[in-house]
Amino acid sequence: MGHVIANGLVLIGTGSSVRLDKELDLAVKSMGELSRSQPLTQRERLHVSAVEAFAKGNFPRACELWEQILRDHPTDMLALKFSHDAYFYLGYREQMRDSVARVYPFWTPDIPLSSYLKGIYSFGLMETNLYDQAEKLAKEALSVNPTDAWSVHTIAHIHEMKAEVKDGLDFMQRSEAHWKDSDMLACHNYWHWALYLIEKGDYDAALAIYDDHILPSLQASGTMLDVVDSCSMLYRLQMEGVPVGQRWQDVLPVTRKHSRDHVLLFNDAHFLMASLGARDTQTTQELLTTLQDVSESPGENCQHLLARDVGLPLCQALVEAENGNPDRVVELLLPIRYRVAQIGGSNAQRDVFNQLLIHAALKCTSGAHKHVARSLLMERDALKPHSPLTERLLRKAAAVHLLQ
């Protein structure tokens, strides 16, 4: 099981790939060979098979195997957390929620990490728009352990999705001392804090959080979550018309070495934001060419299977936006907008692509796209009323007579 834990954490937690990382490939193969030479329990064999399936990019199969474990062993935290993360990467929001719901009654308060389970369950509830239930559960978890950064993270999401900017900022400020030293989620919680500031148009304060917390965390850790936080934040600010100076050049050394990974399409899109922002055409082309290559021989890799219909059009839309072709951005993104959830990430994280589509639609010159911006903005305002960011976009649309 030590091999399962070590390999699983590297595969699921670092974005490394057996396709490119020969040491990891050898470790996964050694794990399989070792498992076949020893008298393992059925539970242990399922754990080995699940990590092997994940290593091949077959995330759905890995989840099926972890679910088999959880049916017989509902307090197996390893199977629960690995499947939770894999569902997240797949964009399977209901499964992410229900996987925890099925085992939640077995996690009595005397079991270690039971309050943590409330946090991850609350996240699944939040991602499926059950905000009241999610907030109740996250607050229960925080009453047991105020340093539970995952539950803080759920509440940050809830305020973001409901455009409760003041409440969100107040909550982050009040709770900061409890989560600021969290190993994995501190940077991401600061990212959420910065989203509130971007929402309200306080760009200088958002950049201060980026410079003081997000970039230093990225440069110290290089983790995928810190990478996507950095790229997403700079890209959102750019769309708002905020100059970000040389900040893309600070991010590029971290992202450039992952341009051939293609472990997650969600990550690929963010790596591309960095190479485009830094004007690194060679890295941009390398990412696009190698992504095209893996899409042509995907095997059982779910991300490579999705690349042709979703990943490549999404990446090309980012390129067209950089090249000043808004009509082409709309042509690429509009048909796949409801499939973008399949690349994973949270609703809040993927909103960067919704914003990209709206900004492109506002700049379109083609008569065929005349009312796209209006339609998207009406929809956005209905789903997230009282959003200062949406109100700014509506004013832009009115200024160019797109709301008539």
Side-chain angles (χ1 to χ4, degrees):
M1 284 304 294
H3 294 276
V4 166
I5 294 169
N7 290 324
L9 288 173
V10 172
L11 287 161
I12 295 166
T14 69
S16 298
S17 157
V18 294
R19 190 173 58 86
L20 298 179
D21 186 332
K22 298 309 172 190
E23 186 178 339
L24 178 60
D25 184 42
L26 181 61
V28 172
K29 286 176 178 172
S30 298
M31 174 189 70
E33 290 167 4
L34 191 62
S35 73
R36 288 183 282 276
S37 69
Q38 294 187 359
L40 302 186
T41 65
Q42 176 66 4
R43 179 184 184 182
E44 289 168 332
R45 291 194 185 283
L46 286 169
H47 265 296
V48 170
S49 297
V51 170
E52 288 178 323
F54 191 94
K56 293 173 185 172
N58 194 338
F59 301 171
R61 176 58 181 158
C63 288
E64 289 173 10
L65 295 165
W66 283 315
E67 291 292 353
Q68 284 186 44
I69 296 170
L70 289 167
R71 280 195 285 274
D72 292 330
H73 307 279
T75 58
D76 187 318
M77 178 54 89
L78 195 67
L80 186 64
K81 188 65 173 76
F82 281 178
S83 60
H84 188 79
D85 289 350
Y87 286 137
F88 181 73
Y89 296 155
L90 287 161
Y92 288 4
R93 290 161 288 183
E94 290 83 4
Q95 291 93 324
M96 187 169 62
R97 175 197 65 203
D98 297 345
S99 178
V100 188
R102 287 190 286 271
V103 302
Y104 184 71
F106 295 94
W107 285 80
T108 52
D110 58 300
I111 295 177
L113 301 177
S114 60
S115 68
Y116 177 77
L117 200 78
K118 293 177 184 287
I120 61 172
Y121 188 17
S122 70
F123 183 72
L125 290 164
M126 180 278 304
E127 279 296 292
T128 51
N129 307 322
L130 299 171
Y131 298 133
D132 291 345
Q133 288 174 253
E135 186 170 8
K136 178 177 180 291
L137 211 56
K139 287 182 174 177
E140 284 178 16
L142 289 171
S143 71
V144 177
N145 178 12
T147 66
D148 181 353
W150 197 252
S151 294
V152 168
H153 170 242
T154 294
I155 293 174
H157 267 272
I158 293 168
H159 290 311
E160 160 66 19
M161 298 311 295
K162 295 168 75 174
E164 296 171 343
V165 176
K166 184 179 185 306
D167 290 345
L169 287 169
D170 289 346
F171 173 73
M172 299 310 276
Q173 288 164 350
R174 283 197 321 270
S175 62
E176 181 185 13
H178 292 303
W179 53 259
K180 65 183 177 67
D181 297 319
S182 170
D183 187 40
M184 280 293 292
L185 277 176
C187 176
H188 189 59
N189 282 342
Y190 278 117
W191 177 80
H192 277 283
W193 190 331
L195 286 195
Y196 300 132
L197 296 168
I198 295 173
E199 177 79 45
K200 68 182 286 196
D202 193 348
Y203 305 125
D204 288 341
L207 281 170
I209 285 185
Y210 178 87
D211 292 337
D212 293 344
H213 299 288
I214 295 174
L215 179 62
S217 183
L218 169 70
Q219 291 176 326
S221 74
T223 64
M224 287 301 102
L225 185 54
D226 291 358
V227 166
V228 299
D229 286 345
S230 301
C231 296
S232 173
M233 186 174 168
L234 292 180
Y235 201 82
R236 290 167 193 248
L237 286 164
Q238 276 190 173
M239 286 192 290
E240 290 280 297
V242 179
V244 298
Q246 295 297 301
R247 289 179 177 87
W248 284 119
Q249 276 71 19
D250 297 327
V251 176
L252 185 65
V254 183
T255 59
R256 184 165 46 206
K257 58 191 174 188
H258 295 291
S259 60
R260 303 169 66 90
D261 289 359
H262 309 307
V263 175
L264 298 175
L265 294 169
F266 179 81
N267 291 352
D268 284 343
H270 288 79
F271 302 153
L272 186 58
M273 291 175 192
S275 63
L276 290 168
R279 306 284 196 272
D280 184 341
T281 54
Q282 182 179 341
T283 300
T284 294
Q285 196 54 50
E286 179 182 56
L287 188 151
L288 294 171
T289 301
T290 55
L291 182 56
Q292 177 72 44
D293 290 344
V294 299
S295 76
E296 291 171 0
S297 53
E300 62 185 279
N301 188 302
C302 63
Q303 299 290 301
H304 300 173
L305 286 163
L306 191 63
R308 187 190 66 181
D309 293 339
V310 180
L312 283 163
L314 177 62
C315 287
Q316 191 59 43
L318 290 164
V319 173
E320 298 294 346
E322 181 65 24
N323 292 341
N325 300 322
D327 287 285
R328 184 62 183 140
V329 174
V330 173
E331 288 169 5
L332 287 161
L333 276 188
L334 198 59
I336 64 167
R337 61 186 295 250
Y338 286 107
R339 294 195 65 189
V340 170
Q342 294 174 277
I343 71 169
S346 67
N347 296 326
Q349 286 176 312
R350 288 190 311 276
D351 191 47
V352 69
F353 306 118
N354 297 329
Q355 292 180 38
L356 170 62
L357 179 56
I358 291 170
H359 278 282
L362 287 169
K363 297 172 185 171
C364 279
T365 55
S366 165
H369 299 145
K370 183 179 179 184
H371 293 135
V372 171
R374 181 179 70 183
S375 298
L376 294 171
L377 285 166
M378 295 299 103
E379 171 195 299
R380 186 178 182 88
D381 193 42
L383 291 172
K384 193 176 179 179
H386 315 300
S387 158
L389 189 150
T390 304
E391 288 165 6
R392 287 198 298 277
L393 292 169
L394 283 165
R395 287 195 294 273
K396 280 188 180 181
V400 291
H401 312 293
L402 290 179
L403 297 184
Q404 297 172 355

